[in-house]
Every structure is written in C-alpha cells, then in structure tokens.
C-alpha cells in the first residue's frame, strides 16, 4: 500500500495519510453521508451522534456529538483516519493531530464547494473514481433543474426554522437554504440579511409578505404547523391564508453532502410544480 500521501484539507491544513484507511471515524453527518455514498460504509467504525443517514449509520458506534466528540472513544476505535467537519471542530482536530491521528476537515460551507468536499473524501480514502462519478451525476441533476426553472416567474420565499418564543430564526445569504431556493427559481426575502442564520424581524416578514413558507422538518409536526398558522404575525401572511406552507426534510437542505441535490429538487417542486415533475 503506497498510501495516499499528502493532502490539503478544507481548512488549508496539510495532512499525510500513509496508508489507505481501513478504519474511519466520521465526526460530521455530512461526512458520514459522503462515505456511504462512496460505498465505504463498511469501513466506518465510529460516527457522531447526529449521523442518522443512511439508516445503517445509526448502528455504528457513537463517539459523542458534533461539538464535543469523545477523544478517548475515538482512540479506542484505533482509526487510520478521522474525517471531521470544519473549523467549528478546530479544538478536536488539534487534539487528534497532537495524538498523531490523521484527521482531515472536509465540510463545505458553500454549495459550490460540496463537490470539492466529496472529491476530497474520495482522495483521502482511495475512492477518487467513485467520488468523481458522484460529483458528475450531482452536477448534471443540478444543471437540469436550473435549466427547467430558468425563465419562470420567481415566487418570494421565507424559510421557517422557528417562530414565536423560540425567535423567528431563518436562513440568510451564505446559507445552503438560500442558495437552494435561488437555484430552484425562487427569491429569498432574507437575501439582504446580514448572516447565514438569523433571528428575523417579524415586522419585516409581515411587510415583505412572502408567497411561500418553507418549514424545516425539525419543527414540521402537525402541532407546530397549527401553531405557526395561528401565531402572531404569521396568521396575517398571504402564504398562510392561502395554504402555501410546505415542509422540507432538514437533512436535505442543511447538510453539505450528496443529498443536497434532493433538497434542491424538493424545493424546485414546491416553487414550480408545473416544471419539475
């Protein structure tokens, strides 16, 4: 085994991988999804607590959550490679590096870089060809969807992560959600907001009165949706009065992995049901 050699990860760190990894620990749900999509699920010996897709990932040893992985548990699994998220896990990455465990950060923070994340995972695991195949098929689907909605009228859209006492949290510029909504032929009413995630002003929401509300499945239960329809400010929105509230599975639109294209398709179907069959 000549190994993989030196790679540059998403944080600009140089990491040397001396052999093709047989035992991999994943510290991020998106990384877990990429590994399985590349057919490497049988090499994954540990995952973070939020890695719930594909279903097989739920049976793998859990090594703590995204924000505080358990270093001892990771060491017990004797991984050849740890695949981490991004700089949010900087402390863990540093600890593992100090312990001489090859650790590569792969998680993208923009839509366009997701392809690079997949290629990077392919490179560090010796699955480049499979990674390139996956990227090509994703790009093709994205181009097909964008072409279908290119000349359509753009409905205005607002993404609901929470409301009421929890705050009016939503996505802003620089988030995957806003990228997806725009690529799917919609216009985000939060596009001039100051951050990728923000507590949005209810006054502005009422004033901008979006055509469509997309609700994260994290809060898309019947009770929550009923609550939303009757909530202060929301009940006066045209989208609520006319029944244009749609639930999208949060894992499809917040994880920078292969299913992001399913998220794009789901949103395009909501915005342009006549164009996306």
């Amino acid at each position: 085994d000549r190994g993989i050699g030196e790679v540059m990860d998403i944080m600009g760190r140089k990491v040397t991988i001396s052999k093709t990894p047989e035992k991999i620990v994943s510290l991020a749900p998106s990384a877990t999804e990429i590994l399985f999509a590349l057919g490497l699920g049988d090499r994954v010996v540990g995952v973070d607590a939020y890695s719930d897709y594909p279903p097989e990932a739920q049976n793998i040893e859990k090594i703590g959550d995204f924000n505080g992985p358990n270093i001892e548990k990771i060491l017990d699994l004797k991984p050849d490679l740890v695949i981490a998220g991004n700089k949010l896990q900087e402390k863990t990455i540093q600890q593992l590096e100090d312990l001489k465990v090859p650790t590569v950060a792969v998680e993208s923070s923009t839509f366009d870089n997701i392809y690079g994340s997949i290629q990077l995972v392919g490179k560090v695991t010796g699955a480049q060809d499979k990674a390139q195949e996956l990227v090509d098929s994703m790009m093709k689907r994205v181009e097909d969807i964008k072409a279908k909605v290119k000349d359509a009228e753009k409905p205005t859209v607002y993404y609901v992560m929470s409301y009421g006492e929890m705050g009016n949290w939503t996505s802003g510029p620089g988030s995957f959600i806003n990228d997806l909504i725009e690529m799917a032929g919609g216009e985000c009413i939060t596009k001039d907001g100051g951050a990728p995630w923000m507590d949005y002003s209810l006054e502005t929401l009422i004033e901008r009165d979006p055509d469509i509300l997309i609700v994260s499945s994290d809060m898309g239960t019947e009770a929550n949706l009923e609550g939303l329809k009757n909530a202060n400010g929301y009940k006066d929105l045209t989208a609520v009065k006319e029944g244009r509230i749609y639930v999208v599975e949060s894992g499809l639109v917040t994880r920078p992995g292969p299913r992001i294209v399913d998220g794009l398709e789901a949103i395009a179907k909501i915005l342009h049901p006549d164009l996306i069959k």
Side-chain angles (χ1 to χ4, degrees):
D1 186 346
R2 294 198 313 279
I4 309 293
E6 187 178 82
V7 295
M8 176 92 80
D9 77 0
I10 212 120
M11 287 165 58
R13 296 163 57 253
K14 287 184 174 151
V15 184
T16 301
I17 297 166
S18 52
K19 65 181 189 118
T20 304
E22 292 299 324
K23 292 169 81 176
I24 303 169
V25 167
S26 167
L27 305 185
S30 59
T32 304
E33 294 198 17
I34 293 170
L35 286 162
F36 272 90
L38 297 181
L40 302 169
D42 56 347
R43 296 195 208 171
V44 181
V45 293
V47 295
D48 73 292
Y50 301 120
S51 285
D52 55 4
Y53 188 90
E56 304 92 278
Q58 297 172 28
N59 306 323
I60 296 171
E61 183 82 33
K62 299 284 182 275
I63 47 81
D65 67 17
F66 182 89
N67 302 315
N70 182 327
I71 299 286
E72 281 173 26
K73 225 171 180 185
I74 294 171
L75 294 177
D76 285 347
L77 294 168
K78 300 188 170 54
D80 308 313
L81 177 67
V82 173
I83 296 191
N86 51 29
K87 59 179 180 288
L88 292 173
Q89 294 182 323
E90 198 154 11
K91 189 171 154 237
T92 304
I93 292 168
Q94 190 57 57
Q95 285 175 299
L96 289 165
E97 194 174 90
D98 293 345
L99 291 162
K100 305 280 185 280
V101 179
T103 304
V104 178
V106 303
E107 188 164 273
S108 164
S109 53
T110 66
F111 186 93
D112 289 340
N113 285 346
I114 293 172
Y115 304 126
S117 288
I118 292 169
Q119 285 160 329
L120 178 57
V121 175
K123 189 172 183 181
V124 299
T125 55
Q128 278 110 316
D129 293 353
K130 192 89 173 76
Q132 194 54 54
E133 256 172 58
L134 177 57
V135 165
D136 291 344
S137 72
M138 287 171 70
M139 284 180 162
K140 186 182 180 313
R141 282 179 66 197
V142 168
E143 289 315 311
D144 286 351
I145 292 167
K146 282 161 79 171
K148 284 177 183 163
V149 300
K150 186 164 63 84
D151 302 319
E153 279 281 306
K154 292 185 174 184
T156 54
V157 184
Y158 178 79
Y159 180 70
V160 184
M161 290 168 71
S162 69
Y163 67 90
E165 288 170 10
M166 310 276 290
N168 301 297
W169 281 90
T170 187
S171 58
S175 65
F176 298 119
I177 313 271
N178 279 34
D179 289 348
L180 293 172
I181 288 169
E182 282 158 20
M183 289 160 71
E187 186 184 331
C188 304
I189 67 161
T190 62
K191 66 179 180 196
D192 56 357
W197 308 108
M198 53 191 167
D199 192 350
Y200 202 61
S201 139
L202 196 54
E203 292 70 32
T204 313
L205 175 59
I206 293 165
E207 182 191 317
R208 296 196 171 169
D209 196 22
D211 299 318
I212 286 173
L213 293 186
I214 292 179
V215 180
S216 161
S217 62
D218 291 339
M219 60 151 284
T221 60
E222 280 304 312
N224 269 334
L225 286 178
E226 280 314 305
L228 177 70
K229 289 174 192 167
N230 298 304
N232 181 25
Y234 289 84
K235 60 176 184 282
D236 304 320
L237 297 174
T238 310
V240 172
K241 288 180 183 163
E242 296 183 1
R244 288 194 298 273
I245 302 178
Y246 303 91
V247 177
V248 164
E249 189 189 327
S250 64
L252 299 184
V253 294
T254 57
R255 289 185 187 174
R259 292 192 301 157
I260 200 94
V261 187
D262 298 336
L264 174 63
E265 192 170 352
I267 292 175
K269 273 183 180 155
I270 289 167
L271 306 187
H272 300 289
D274 49 330
L275 300 175
I276 309 285
K277 294 290 179 270

